Amino acid sequence: MSDHNIELTLSSAEALVLFEWLASAHDAESLTADEAERRVLWDLESQLETRVVEVFDPDYLEEVAQAKRVVLAS
């Protein structure tokens, strides 16, 4: 297997929804993933956390709800 980077493009709404899901999955015991899968998901969560500015917004949950509406409308 060759080891090269793959770049993905997400809208800010998609990134926020994905970050919220990853953060929720990280805390949930119900996520069925092996150790390598969990590592990749946590690394992705960490990368998103440094880029998704809404994480620090006092209205974070409303921002997530709005992002979900935007994603569903597109």
Side-chain angles (χ1 to χ4, degrees):
M1 162 135 221
S2 66
D3 189 19
H4 61 279
N5 291 334
I6 296 175
E7 190 172 317
L8 302 174
T9 302
L10 299 171
S11 70
S12 59
E14 291 168 330
L16 181 55
V17 170
L18 179 57
F19 173 78
E20 177 60 20
W21 181 82
L22 288 167
S24 297
H26 185 135
D27 295 335
E29 295 295 324
S30 61
L31 180 64
T32 304
D34 66 29
E35 189 174 339
E37 292 165 340
R38 281 191 303 275
R39 173 67 184 269
V40 171
L41 291 172
W42 291 339
D43 289 349
L44 182 55
E45 177 188 355
S46 177
Q47 290 179 45
L48 285 169
E49 188 173 30
T50 66
R51 292 169 176 83
V52 176
V53 297
E54 292 86 355
V55 170
F56 304 105
D57 192 312
D59 297 320
Y60 174 73
L61 295 178
E62 179 53 39
E63 293 285 342
V64 171
Q66 176 63 26
K68 288 180 177 184
R69 289 190 290 271
V70 168
V71 168
L72 291 174
S74 59

